[in-house]
Amino acid sequence: MKDNKKLTENDVTPETIFNMQRREVLKKLGLSAAALSIPGLAQADILSWFKGNDRPAAPAGRALQFSEPAQYQAKLTLTPADKVSGYNNFYEFGLDKADPAANAGSLKTSPWQVEIGGEVAKPITLDMDDIFKRFAMEQRIYRMRCVEAWSMVIPWVGFELSKLLNLAEPTSHARFVAFQTVYAPDQMPGQKDRFIGGGLNYPYVEGLRLDEAMHPLTLISTGVYGKALPPQNGAPLRLTVPWKYGFKGIKSIVKITLTRDQPPTTWNQGAPDEYGFYANVNPHVDHPRWSQATERFIGSGGLLNVQRQPTLLFNGYAEQVASLYHGLDLRENF
Ligand SMILES: Nc1nc2c(c(=O)[nH]1)N[C@H]1C(S)=C(S)[C@@H](COP(=O)(O)O)O[C@H]1N2
Ligand SMILES: [Mo]
């Protein structure tokens, strides 16, 4: 990190804040905290929420067993593990990128059950033992592109969502799949306090079209970097859809429902003009407030002089998924 560099306001990205002490950044800018509206400044409220509560550290992730199918071991530069699990979006634990790692230890991830129901012939509820017994885990190296225009490359461990859905036998009426994060306001400060949680509706919900959910690239992740997911990454199981913006990757899932109609999704409800249902990564369709043509890749380097790279259509997975969207106007269906 170049500590001597004179910062400008344009340099103040979430990464800047992540890598430097906040007061240091503010000092370099010659500003008081009040002059900047940085979500991280909500941190103080989180600390007071935890006062008198336990703020236990997350348990160390257990090593997982998995295969490494050659076609999914992309030769890409990985984002280091400490960034994958230290720079997160999980608004249930606060808005700052460092908040989930600091606070998500309060989430009880065991025992855990996930319920699959709705338009299925065989509704089923599974615990994590059932999941690990029934589904062979694979490591898959995927690009991940957040709608905020930063990106990572992450070695997930997981299994294809289609296997889980097939177990429940979707009926001929099923056209969409709805997902729900756990609702546990006593463990998640952002669910209890609208300010800490960024004003979103909770529980966080997401959805896919059935064909997207059944696509072989669509994973349920149970681990990262060879170990069980830490809570800040969405333990014990979360969705990973590599050709879509990161917010589709709903964390800490307790409920999966096959539906006839398109289900509501949290970010779309929060700001329908900015976040659509599809959320396919697309460098040609800008966010109303910023360009999506390029992205800041979060690698091993210091984050002030972080590398910008072009964003790829469908995040580089066009060959595999473009056929899902034939005849769909991607600008209208953003
Ligand atoms: N329940 C829940 N899931 C969530 C979020 C969240 O705030 N709550 N944030 C989303 C966003 S915006 C992104 S970019 C990814 C980040 O995943 P990561 O922290 O594991 O990289 O999680 C997604 N899943
Ligand atoms: Mo995101």
Side-chain angles (χ1 to χ4, degrees):
M1 170 146 358
K2 291 179 186 160
D3 270 333
N4 302 329
K5 189 179 169 211
K6 177 100 174 74
L7 291 176
T8 71
E9 247 184 282
N10 290 335
D11 290 321
V12 181
T13 64
E15 285 78 38
T16 329
I17 310 303
F18 175 68
N19 260 13
M20 301 177 74
Q21 292 290 355
R22 238 172 240 108
R23 58 189 140 69
E24 220 182 298
V25 174
L26 296 169
K27 203 170 67 191
K28 287 198 186 206
L29 284 164
L31 293 174
S32 69
L36 283 174
S37 64
I38 296 165
L41 299 179
Q43 175 88 6
D45 298 81
I46 296 206
L47 293 177
S48 66
W49 184 86
F50 275 104
K51 219 176 272 166
N53 287 305
D54 267 346
R55 205 156 165 260
R62 153 179 97 78
L64 299 178
Q65 289 190 315
F66 51 88
S67 63
E68 298 182 32
Q71 67 184 122
Y72 295 118
Q73 310 311 304
K75 299 271 178 293
L76 297 168
T77 302
L78 298 181
T79 297
D82 64 327
K83 299 234 173 73
V84 171
S85 298
Y87 183 92
N88 301 98
N89 276 331
F90 200 166
Y91 276 20
E92 286 87 333
F93 295 101
L95 310 185
D96 190 287
K97 296 290 187 280
D99 283 341
N103 302 324
S106 63
L107 182 64
K108 288 194 192 76
T109 58
S110 171
W112 193 272
Q113 290 193 322
V114 58
E115 183 191 325
I116 300 111
E119 284 292 348
V120 294
K122 298 187 171 161
I124 187 168
T125 298
L126 301 171
D127 64 24
M128 290 312 290
D129 275 350
D130 298 326
I131 299 247
F132 283 108
K133 268 183 215 142
R134 282 176 188 268
F135 306 110
M137 298 295 147
E138 295 179 12
Q139 174 171 278
R140 294 196 183 186
I141 295 172
Y142 279 167
R143 292 187 197 83
M144 128 81 139
R145 169 62 155 81
C146 175
V147 73
E148 297 164 333
W150 51 268
S151 69
M152 297 187 178
V153 171
I154 303 179
W156 299 108
V157 177
F159 62 99
E160 291 179 11
L161 172 62
S162 66
K163 295 184 182 172
L164 186 59
L165 299 180
N166 285 335
L167 192 65
E169 298 181 12
T171 71
S172 60
H173 300 298
R175 291 176 55 232
F176 294 90
V177 186
F179 304 85
Q180 197 181 108
T181 293
V182 67
Y183 187 67
D186 290 336
Q187 300 167 41
M188 295 174 142
Q191 289 185 339
K192 205 161 210 170
D193 180 311
R194 271 188 84 70
F195 182 68
I196 293 173
L200 295 178
N201 291 331
Y202 294 104
Y204 195 103
V205 289
E206 256 305 334
L208 295 171
R209 253 177 20 195
L210 184 60
D211 59 342
E212 298 176 320
M214 288 296 196
H215 193 280
L217 283 177
T218 303
L219 280 197
I220 291 289
S221 294
T222 57
V224 68
Y225 266 104
K227 293 181 178 164
L229 286 176
Q232 59 269 32
N233 289 109
L237 78 172
R238 59 90 58 82
L239 184 65
T240 303
V241 194
W243 71 93
K244 292 180 179 282
Y245 289 122
F247 68 84
K248 299 296 287 183
I250 181 172
K251 296 178 168 181
S252 304
I253 298 168
V254 290
K255 202 168 172 186
I256 300 177
T257 311
L258 289 277
T259 64
R260 297 178 183 223
D261 300 317
Q262 183 176 304
T265 57
T266 291
W267 275 102
N268 178 251
Q269 285 182 316
D273 299 337
E274 303 193 5
Y275 310 102
F277 175 80
Y278 280 93
N280 291 316
V281 174
N282 191 333
H284 313 300
V285 178
D286 287 338
H287 185 278
R289 290 184 283 125
W290 58 84
S291 165
Q292 294 293 28
T294 64
E295 62 203 36
R296 292 171 279 125
F297 176 69
I298 301 190
S300 57
L303 293 170
L304 270 185
N305 43 359
V306 76
Q307 213 182 309
R308 272 207 106 82
Q309 61 188 31
T311 287
L312 304 172
L313 183 61
F314 296 115
N315 207 22
Y317 301 97
E319 208 179 298
Q320 293 97 314
V321 303
S323 63
L324 295 174
Y325 307 106
H326 275 159
L328 190 78
D329 184 333
L330 296 175
R331 190 166 293 277
E332 238 163 73
N333 298 280
F334 55 94

